[in-house]
Amino acid sequence: MDIMDNRYFDFLFGRVSKAAALLRAGFLGAGTAAAQSLNWDGQTGVFITPLAYTAASPSNNFGRPIVAYHFLNAGSVLGNFHTVSVTEGIAGRVEFGYTRDLHQEGSTAGLSPLWGSGFNVVHAKVNLVKENAGKQAWLPALSAGFVVRTQDRNVSGLLATPNKSYTNADFYAVASKTITQTKPVPIVLNLGYKATNASVYGLAGNAPAYKGRLFGAVAFVFTGPAKSTIIFGSEFSQEPRTVQNLPGADVPTTITYAARIVPLAERKFNIDFGVAQAAGTIEPGVNLKARHQFALGVSYGL
């Protein structure tokens, strides 16, 4: 782990009082609100990282689909990104889904054309251990899953000769725990490890090889007006430092700060607002200007 990553890891878990991020309403401890929020890739999760929880479903059948839309204003170089997702839960332990990434080109000559029109995302996750299983109040939920992105032409593909589409993937394990003893403000902790060859979730193309990376989140859950819930916190995701076909690139850890609003948990609807810190100057003379970018997400359980 490099110095930059260690610094962000310490910041996140040692000085969390200044953080703000996007966590799903299932953390409230109310069963009706469980597993209704999808992340950027379409998984049940935070804004970019997965959680150990899965999309709500009965123990012997399919659940109702969850749909989501996410938007990231990534700045004048990268442009705007949109994702549209649908995810299905099975038997209370499994989820799978599809997401389409859509891209609007930025306005910076020489750099913006390095991003393609979008790519496909397929994901699946299985819950291995339920939270508090066997009445062990300390036990977190434990899950494993994967994400596969295809037809990704961003940066790596458009710098290749000739241009080509790449496939990249994440294979991960994650633990999530809701601490209710801190009521009236429950705390949610999430920590995972992934092997990935994607650079910034495919938005910056591919890494030259698979790398082991940490990700995690922490959040505080507050009761809002009119039976609403407001969640504040932060998440981080270490990135492979290098980008395929872009020698000299040095990609920093991605962090989000924001808030999630759940108007009514039983409606399975929530809205996320936040700021994403993705990539700034990745090599001398190449500033992607994406370190303080607005992000929006909406999830709805049908």
Side-chain angles (χ1 to χ4, degrees):
M1 189 184 304
D2 53 61
I3 294 174
M4 178 70 76
D5 288 338
N6 275 324
R7 183 173 60 198
Y8 278 125
F9 188 86
D10 178 69
F11 170 82
L12 188 64
F13 287 96
R15 301 179 182 180
V16 73
S17 59
K18 294 184 179 180
L22 310 154
L23 287 181
R24 77 198 232 319
F27 292 159
L28 310 182
T32 55
Q36 69 183 28
S37 303
L38 305 184
N39 68 7
W40 184 262
D41 283 326
Q43 306 155 293
T44 297
V46 195
F47 192 78
I48 55 173
T49 57
L51 296 162
Y53 307 103
T54 57
S57 60
S59 60
N60 60 351
N61 210 334
F62 286 80
R64 292 181 178 273
I66 303 171
V67 295
Y69 165 76
H70 287 82
F71 168 74
L72 173 63
N73 175 1
S76 60
V77 177
L78 277 68
N80 294 329
F81 293 92
H82 308 258
T83 65
V84 181
S85 307
V86 58
T87 292
E88 178 72 58
I90 310 174
R93 284 187 179 269
V94 177
E95 72 175 27
F96 66 94
Y98 171 79
T99 294
R100 178 63 189 179
D101 170 271
L102 304 167
H103 177 242
Q104 293 174 296
E105 188 172 304
S107 58
T108 302
L111 290 178
S112 293
L114 293 178
W115 276 263
S117 60
F119 52 85
N120 302 305
V121 183
V122 176
H123 71 87
K125 182 198 308 179
V126 59
N127 177 239
L128 304 173
V129 178
K130 290 285 189 181
E131 189 173 33
N132 305 329
K135 298 183 179 179
Q136 301 297 317
W138 57 269
L139 190 65
L142 300 173
S143 294
F146 68 84
V147 181
V148 177
R149 306 172 188 89
T150 63
Q151 298 180 350
D152 187 348
R153 295 171 56 82
N154 292 342
V155 184
S156 300
L158 289 168
L159 284 174
T161 305
N163 294 168
K164 62 185 294 186
S165 295
Y166 280 99
T167 295
N168 54 65
D170 307 341
F171 300 93
Y172 66 89
V174 60
S176 301
K177 181 62 181 174
T178 302
I179 303 172
T180 59
Q181 290 84 350
T182 56
K183 289 182 178 180
V185 183
I187 299 174
V188 181
L189 300 176
N190 190 60
L191 184 64
Y193 181 84
K194 65 181 177 180
T196 181
N197 69 335
S199 182
V200 195
Y201 295 83
L203 300 185
N206 280 44
Y210 279 91
K211 295 289 185 179
R213 304 279 78 182
L214 286 171
F215 61 87
V218 62
F220 301 90
V221 184
F222 296 89
T223 300
K227 298 182 179 180
S228 66
T229 300
I230 303 174
I231 307 172
F232 298 100
S234 183
E235 66 176 337
F236 79 97
S237 179
Q238 292 182 323
E239 304 292 346
R241 303 306 298 241
T242 54
V243 177
Q244 189 166 352
N245 301 328
L246 187 63
D250 186 12
V251 180
T253 295
T254 299
I255 301 177
T256 66
Y257 308 98
R260 170 162 287 169
I261 300 172
V262 186
L264 288 172
E266 60 269 24
R267 298 291 184 180
K268 296 186 178 181
F269 171 74
N270 61 264
I271 305 172
D272 302 329
F273 300 95
V275 174
Q277 290 186 211
T281 300
I282 62 171
E283 64 174 272
V286 180
N287 186 353
L288 299 185
K289 301 179 181 180
R291 289 302 285 170
H292 303 91
Q293 304 309 127
F294 172 74
L296 167 72
V298 178
S299 294
Y300 180 69
L302 300 177

